[in-house]
PDB file of all heavy atoms in Angstrom:
ATOM      1  N   SER A  39      -8.187   4.706   0.094  1.00 82.00           N
ATOM      2  CA  SER A  39      -9.602   4.344   0.073  1.00 82.00           C
ATOM      3  C   SER A  39      -9.848   3.138  -0.831  1.00 82.00           C
ATOM      4  O   SER A  39     -10.725   2.311  -0.534  1.00 82.00           O
ATOM      5  CB  SER A  39     -10.455   5.524  -0.393  1.00 82.00           C
ATOM      6  OG  SER A  39     -10.028   5.995  -1.649  1.00 82.00           O
ATOM      7  N   SER A  40      -9.103   3.027  -1.902  1.00 86.00           N
ATOM      8  CA  SER A  40      -9.237   1.857  -2.776  1.00 86.00           C
ATOM      9  C   SER A  40      -8.684   0.597  -2.106  1.00 86.00           C
ATOM     10  O   SER A  40      -9.257  -0.473  -2.233  1.00 86.00           O
ATOM     11  CB  SER A  40      -8.525   2.089  -4.110  1.00 86.00           C
ATOM     12  OG  SER A  40      -9.155   3.127  -4.818  1.00 86.00           O
ATOM     13  N   MET A  41      -7.582   0.759  -1.391  1.00 87.00           N
ATOM     14  CA  MET A  41      -7.010  -0.384  -0.675  1.00 87.00           C
ATOM     15  C   MET A  41      -7.953  -0.861   0.433  1.00 87.00           C
ATOM     16  O   MET A  41      -7.986  -2.042   0.764  1.00 87.00           O
ATOM     17  CB  MET A  41      -5.651  -0.007  -0.080  1.00 87.00           C
ATOM     18  CG  MET A  41      -4.565   0.185  -1.124  1.00 87.00           C
ATOM     19  SD  MET A  41      -4.242  -1.307  -2.091  1.00 87.00           S
ATOM     20  CE  MET A  41      -3.518  -2.358  -0.832  1.00 87.00           C
ATOM     21  N   ALA A  42      -8.757   0.054   0.987  1.00 85.00           N
ATOM     22  CA  ALA A  42      -9.693  -0.321   2.041  1.00 85.00           C
ATOM     23  C   ALA A  42     -10.750  -1.309   1.545  1.00 85.00           C
ATOM     24  O   ALA A  42     -11.357  -2.032   2.344  1.00 85.00           O
ATOM     25  CB  ALA A  42     -10.377   0.926   2.601  1.00 85.00           C
ATOM     26  N   MET A  43     -10.957  -1.375   0.248  1.00 86.00           N
ATOM     27  CA  MET A  43     -11.934  -2.323  -0.321  1.00 86.00           C
ATOM     28  C   MET A  43     -11.562  -3.766  -0.003  1.00 86.00           C
ATOM     29  O   MET A  43     -12.404  -4.643  -0.073  1.00 86.00           O
ATOM     30  CB  MET A  43     -12.084  -2.100  -1.822  1.00 86.00           C
ATOM     31  CG  MET A  43     -12.638  -0.734  -2.189  1.00 86.00           C
ATOM     32  SD  MET A  43     -14.217  -0.365  -1.421  1.00 86.00           S
ATOM     33  CE  MET A  43     -15.269  -1.559  -2.189  1.00 86.00           C
ATOM     34  N   LEU A  44     -10.301  -4.014   0.337  1.00 86.00           N
ATOM     35  CA  LEU A  44      -9.888  -5.373   0.705  1.00 86.00           C
ATOM     36  C   LEU A  44     -10.667  -5.865   1.930  1.00 86.00           C
ATOM     37  O   LEU A  44     -10.818  -7.065   2.115  1.00 86.00           O
ATOM     38  CB  LEU A  44      -8.388  -5.401   1.004  1.00 86.00           C
ATOM     39  CG  LEU A  44      -7.474  -5.251  -0.192  1.00 86.00           C
ATOM     40  CD1 LEU A  44      -6.063  -4.927   0.253  1.00 86.00           C
ATOM     41  CD2 LEU A  44      -7.501  -6.490  -1.054  1.00 86.00           C
ATOM     42  N   ASN A  45     -11.149  -4.950   2.746  1.00 81.00           N
ATOM     43  CA  ASN A  45     -11.872  -5.323   3.970  1.00 81.00           C
ATOM     44  C   ASN A  45     -13.333  -5.645   3.740  1.00 81.00           C
ATOM     45  O   ASN A  45     -14.025  -6.040   4.663  1.00 81.00           O
ATOM     46  CB  ASN A  45     -11.773  -4.188   4.998  1.00 81.00           C
ATOM     47  CG  ASN A  45     -10.357  -3.925   5.416  1.00 81.00           C
ATOM     48  OD1 ASN A  45      -9.516  -4.803   5.370  1.00 81.00           O
ATOM     49  ND2 ASN A  45     -10.068  -2.701   5.808  1.00 81.00           N
ATOM     50  N   PHE A  46     -13.809  -5.451   2.529  1.00 84.00           N
ATOM     51  CA  PHE A  46     -15.225  -5.651   2.250  1.00 84.00           C
ATOM     52  C   PHE A  46     -15.506  -6.991   1.587  1.00 84.00           C
ATOM     53  O   PHE A  46     -16.557  -7.183   0.988  1.00 84.00           O
ATOM     54  CB  PHE A  46     -15.753  -4.497   1.408  1.00 84.00           C
ATOM     55  CG  PHE A  46     -15.851  -3.214   2.184  1.00 84.00           C
ATOM     56  CD1 PHE A  46     -14.753  -2.369   2.305  1.00 84.00           C
ATOM     57  CD2 PHE A  46     -17.014  -2.849   2.810  1.00 84.00           C
ATOM     58  CE1 PHE A  46     -14.810  -1.203   3.035  1.00 84.00           C
ATOM     59  CE2 PHE A  46     -17.114  -1.669   3.538  1.00 84.00           C
ATOM     60  CZ  PHE A  46     -15.999  -0.849   3.644  1.00 84.00           C
ATOM     61  N   GLY A  47     -14.574  -7.905   1.656  1.00 83.00           N
ATOM     62  CA  GLY A  47     -14.784  -9.246   1.124  1.00 83.00           C
ATOM     63  C   GLY A  47     -14.785  -9.311  -0.382  1.00 83.00           C
ATOM     64  O   GLY A  47     -15.324 -10.267  -0.971  1.00 83.00           O
ATOM     65  N   MET A  48     -14.220  -8.314  -1.047  1.00 86.00           N
ATOM     66  CA  MET A  48     -14.173  -8.328  -2.522  1.00 86.00           C
ATOM     67  C   MET A  48     -13.233  -9.431  -2.988  1.00 86.00           C
ATOM     68  O   MET A  48     -12.187  -9.661  -2.400  1.00 86.00           O
ATOM     69  CB  MET A  48     -13.703  -6.978  -3.057  1.00 86.00           C
ATOM     70  CG  MET A  48     -14.537  -5.806  -2.604  1.00 86.00           C
ATOM     71  SD  MET A  48     -16.258  -6.023  -3.075  1.00 86.00           S
ATOM     72  CE  MET A  48     -16.941  -4.463  -2.610  1.00 86.00           C
ATOM     73  N   THR A  49     -13.613 -10.074  -4.066  1.00 88.00           N
ATOM     74  CA  THR A  49     -12.798 -11.155  -4.630  1.00 88.00           C
ATOM     75  C   THR A  49     -11.716 -10.595  -5.540  1.00 88.00           C
ATOM     76  O   THR A  49     -11.753  -9.432  -5.935  1.00 88.00           O
ATOM     77  CB  THR A  49     -13.677 -12.116  -5.449  1.00 88.00           C
ATOM     78  OG1 THR A  49     -14.200 -11.396  -6.579  1.00 88.00           O
ATOM     79  CG2 THR A  49     -14.818 -12.676  -4.603  1.00 88.00           C
ATOM     80  N   SER A  50     -10.795 -11.452  -5.890  1.00 92.00           N
ATOM     81  CA  SER A  50      -9.755 -11.054  -6.832  1.00 92.00           C
ATOM     82  C   SER A  50     -10.363 -10.544  -8.137  1.00 92.00           C
ATOM     83  O   SER A  50      -9.906  -9.565  -8.726  1.00 92.00           O
ATOM     84  CB  SER A  50      -8.838 -12.244  -7.157  1.00 92.00           C
ATOM     85  OG  SER A  50      -8.077 -12.605  -6.053  1.00 92.00           O
ATOM     86  N   GLN A  51     -11.433 -11.192  -8.584  1.00 93.00           N
ATOM     87  CA  GLN A  51     -12.088 -10.798  -9.833  1.00 93.00           C
ATOM     88  C   GLN A  51     -12.639  -9.381  -9.760  1.00 93.00           C
ATOM     89  O   GLN A  51     -12.608  -8.642 -10.738  1.00 93.00           O
ATOM     90  CB  GLN A  51     -13.205 -11.776 -10.193  1.00 93.00           C
ATOM     91  CG  GLN A  51     -13.771 -11.567 -11.589  1.00 93.00           C
ATOM     92  CD  GLN A  51     -12.704 -11.676 -12.682  1.00 93.00           C
ATOM     93  OE1 GLN A  51     -11.766 -12.471 -12.598  1.00 93.00           O
ATOM     94  NE2 GLN A  51     -12.824 -10.853 -13.717  1.00 93.00           N
ATOM     95  N   TYR A  52     -13.134  -8.993  -8.606  1.00 91.00           N
ATOM     96  CA  TYR A  52     -13.625  -7.618  -8.434  1.00 91.00           C
ATOM     97  C   TYR A  52     -12.492  -6.619  -8.748  1.00 91.00           C
ATOM     98  O   TYR A  52     -12.705  -5.654  -9.486  1.00 91.00           O
ATOM     99  CB  TYR A  52     -14.127  -7.374  -6.986  1.00 91.00           C
ATOM    100  CG  TYR A  52     -14.334  -5.912  -6.688  1.00 91.00           C
ATOM    101  CD1 TYR A  52     -15.515  -5.268  -7.055  1.00 91.00           C
ATOM    102  CD2 TYR A  52     -13.330  -5.158  -6.081  1.00 91.00           C
ATOM    103  CE1 TYR A  52     -15.701  -3.923  -6.814  1.00 91.00           C
ATOM    104  CE2 TYR A  52     -13.499  -3.809  -5.825  1.00 91.00           C
ATOM    105  CZ  TYR A  52     -14.688  -3.203  -6.186  1.00 91.00           C
ATOM    106  OH  TYR A  52     -14.858  -1.865  -5.951  1.00 91.00           O
ATOM    107  N   PHE A  53     -11.312  -6.852  -8.199  1.00 92.00           N
ATOM    108  CA  PHE A  53     -10.197  -5.930  -8.421  1.00 92.00           C
ATOM    109  C   PHE A  53      -9.717  -5.978  -9.859  1.00 92.00           C
ATOM    110  O   PHE A  53      -9.324  -4.949 -10.417  1.00 92.00           O
ATOM    111  CB  PHE A  53      -9.064  -6.217  -7.420  1.00 92.00           C
ATOM    112  CG  PHE A  53      -9.436  -5.887  -6.028  1.00 92.00           C
ATOM    113  CD1 PHE A  53      -9.797  -6.885  -5.133  1.00 92.00           C
ATOM    114  CD2 PHE A  53      -9.486  -4.582  -5.584  1.00 92.00           C
ATOM    115  CE1 PHE A  53     -10.186  -6.591  -3.830  1.00 92.00           C
ATOM    116  CE2 PHE A  53      -9.860  -4.249  -4.293  1.00 92.00           C
ATOM    117  CZ  PHE A  53     -10.216  -5.269  -3.410  1.00 92.00           C
TER     118      PHE A  53
END
Side-chain angles (χ1 to χ4, degrees):
S39 56
S40 295
M41 290 299 292
M43 296 304 294
L44 290 165
N45 298 333
F46 289 85
M48 304 301 187
T49 65
S50 292
Q51 190 58 36
Y52 167 83
F53 292 102

